[in-house]
Amino acid sequence: MPEWSEFWWTAITGPRNLCDAVSRALHNKSSVCLLVPDDLPWHDEMRACIETGMHQMPDMESFYVEFIDVEDDCPDIQDIGRYLLERYALPEIAAGYRGREKMQKYILDKQVLDNRVLWIKGMNAEQEKRWLQFCKDYAPTKDSDGRFVLEVKWTDKEYERRNFAVIRYGDMIKRYDLTLFNSIYLNREKGAYSAIWQQYSAVMCSLLCNTDAETSQAFMEQCNFASEEPIVGMQTIANDGMYLRRGESNDQHILSLVRKNNTDAIGAQIWKAQLQVLFPMLEIERVSFVEHYHQQIQEALSERYYDFKTGRSQLIYQFGDVISDPDDAELGTIYRMTKLKRDADTSQYLLYIPDEESRSRIELLHDLRNALAHGEPCAISKVAEFIDGHPFNWEV
């Protein structure tokens, strides 16, 4: 089985393209402003993937990537140029700067950072501004000149310029990347799930997790989507020590919503997944039912039913019009017809389905369709009954 953290960054299109874009920018003698979310999945694997890609670029095989965590290494730094000189330059070069030229040019001319990529991370908003300003005035020209990668979270208004690339996680990685990742993971790791359960779970997790593949994989590993409400497994993950800080800075992150017990927001995403996966399947079964019982439906539509509330004889209406074609009968109409009594003989149902399982199936389809139409997520018990019985074999 693959290492799924590495698989996300090397095999899924969006994440792989992001890594390739950073590697290419560095090869093109640009420093990089890499805007990532707080809940970036698998930080270390992303950095390793970019470093590997960079080393595969011509003239960059000998470059060394060094990580500087500003919060830990230099939280109070004000003069970035002086800090770099003192850390990387020979003593005589560090002491030789007289301010007659820009610090950035002096560092480049004296080859202070040759064959290095400094990856700057762990910055607060003010630190990001200082590092960004320094790097925008830093312009490598030689193949050996050092470069920077600024891993930022607070700044989203930077724009591309010569020797300074801006790469945004949100521009390159989309929810469908996560759906694809989820589908492959479930296919390889959860073979006990049927194809439909795999599809349902993949879509569910992508809608809940957006592009956070790390949390999504944890959900797929922990949650039993075929037998328990998703919130149960989510609560386990939200309380897991490995994930306690995940979602901390984003009140829309799924783990933040779980910790706040925001069932409305969570339910809305579950509903979207059910609408996307189950709704087409409901229509398939409706069409199948109409094909099997076409004659009986046609006969029922031509009959009048007795309205016990008004005491009148009525024809079946749908959306304000009399319906005559069985193919046009919606699930709600079909279900209603199985409950109405004929005007000519109120001991008979307007549409009688002799098979009990088929009657129960129509009721289930109606309940699911009705919930989805009203924006309500369906209970897992009904979802499981529906998926496990699909496609249903109607008795004629």
Side-chain angles (χ1 to χ4, degrees), residues 201-220:
S201 304
V203 172
M204 174 84 69
C205 286
S206 67
L207 283 164
L208 290 168
C209 300
N210 196 10
T211 59
D212 184 352
E214 188 169 350
T215 300
S216 184
Q217 191 217 350
F219 280 176
M220 291 186 292

Side-chain angles (χ1 to χ4, degrees), residues 28-294:
N28 292 334
K29 303 183 182 68
S30 290
S31 290
V32 177
C33 170
L34 176 59
L35 182 67
V36 297
D38 275 321
D39 301 299
L40 176 72
W42 298 304
H43 300 67
D44 292 341
E45 285 78 358
M46 177 196 72
R47 295 163 187 153
C49 182
I50 292 171
E51 184 174 0
T52 298
M54 179 195 74
H55 285 147
Q56 293 171 349
M57 294 287 178
D59 304 318
M60 296 205 74
E61 301 91 339
S62 62
F63 268 71
Y64 172 71
V65 178
E66 183 170 343
F67 295 95
I68 297 177
D69 191 314
V70 173
E71 183 180 5
D72 294 334
D73 298 341
C74 49
D76 300 321
I77 183 173
Q78 297 293 321
D79 189 337
I80 291 172
R82 176 56 60 184
Y83 165 77
L84 294 173
L85 279 180
E86 291 176 354
R87 178 163 177 167
Y88 295 105
L90 294 172
E92 58 270 24
I93 292 176
Y97 180 66
R98 296 290 181 265
R100 300 187 185 94
E101 58 188 336
K102 278 192 172 184
M103 176 67 83
Q104 291 90 331
K105 186 174 187 306
Y106 183 81
I107 289 173
L108 285 163
D109 289 345
K110 297 300 183 181
Q111 302 177 336
V112 173
L113 300 177
D114 268 18
N115 294 306
R116 291 180 187 270
V117 171
L118 297 187
W119 191 300
I120 316 300
K121 60 190 183 73
M123 296 175 281
N124 61 33
E126 188 57 38
Q127 291 162 343
E128 281 185 8
K129 289 180 183 177
R130 290 199 291 269
W131 280 94
L132 284 164
Q133 189 56 56
F134 180 87
C135 290
K136 284 185 283 191
D137 291 330
Y138 180 88
T141 56
K142 302 191 303 295
D143 288 341
S144 60
D145 284 342
R147 283 87 147 153
F148 292 86
V149 174
L150 303 183
E151 188 177 307
V152 305
K153 299 177 182 177
W154 305 94
T155 308
D156 192 25
K157 295 183 179 179
E158 293 300 325
Y159 57 89
E160 296 271 351
R161 63 191 77 195
R162 187 180 179 189
N163 303 119
F164 189 73
V166 178
I167 298 170
R168 295 177 174 84
Y169 179 98
D171 288 346
M172 305 196 75
I173 299 175
K174 303 298 182 182
R175 183 173 282 151
Y176 55 74
D177 289 305
L178 184 55
T179 303
L180 175 60
F181 172 82
N182 292 346
S183 298
I184 296 171
Y185 175 87
L186 289 162
N187 181 261
R188 297 191 186 181
E189 300 284 355
K190 300 292 182 179
Y193 281 178
S194 68
I196 296 174
W197 276 116
Q198 288 182 22
Q199 180 191 9
Y200 178 73
S201 304
V203 172
M204 174 84 69
C205 286
S206 67
L207 283 164
L208 290 168
C209 300
N210 196 10
T211 59
D212 184 352
E214 188 169 350
T215 300
S216 184
Q217 191 217 350
F219 280 176
M220 291 186 292
E221 185 64 31
Q222 174 67 40
C223 301
N224 187 338
F225 293 102
S227 64
E228 65 183 14
E229 298 294 348
I231 189 68
V232 175
M234 291 179 213
Q235 287 169 337
T236 301
I237 299 299
N239 296 324
D240 188 319
M242 289 181 59
Y243 298 93
L244 284 180
R245 296 196 62 182
R246 206 158 194 84
E248 190 176 52
S249 302
N250 178 4
D251 60 5
Q252 296 304 306
H253 190 278
I254 182 59
L255 293 183
S256 176
L257 296 175
V258 171
R259 293 181 190 117
K260 295 174 183 175
N261 198 32
N262 190 337
T263 53
D264 288 344
I266 297 168
Q269 299 307 314
I270 295 172
W271 171 77
K272 288 180 184 178
Q274 293 176 346
L275 190 68
Q276 186 172 329
V277 177
L278 303 184
F279 203 86
M281 295 166 59
L282 290 170
E283 180 61 12
I284 288 171
E285 291 209 4
R286 183 197 70 83
V287 170
S288 174
F289 174 84
V290 171
E291 288 177 351
H292 278 279
Y293 292 100
H294 195 278

Side-chain angles (χ1 to χ4, degrees), residues 309-354:
K309 290 183 179 179
T310 65
R312 290 187 298 180
S313 173
Q314 303 272 15
L315 286 171
I316 289 294
Y317 276 73
Q318 182 175 273
F319 308 128
D321 295 317
V322 173
I323 179 173
S324 58
D325 187 346
D327 293 335
D328 295 334
E330 298 287 344
L331 280 171
T333 301
I334 292 170
Y335 175 72
R336 181 165 169 257
M337 290 167 66
T338 66
K339 301 299 182 181
L340 295 172
K341 297 298 184 68
R342 297 193 175 205
D343 181 61
D345 182 353
T346 56
S347 68
Q348 295 185 26
Y349 287 103
L350 183 63
L351 175 61
Y352 178 61
I353 307 299

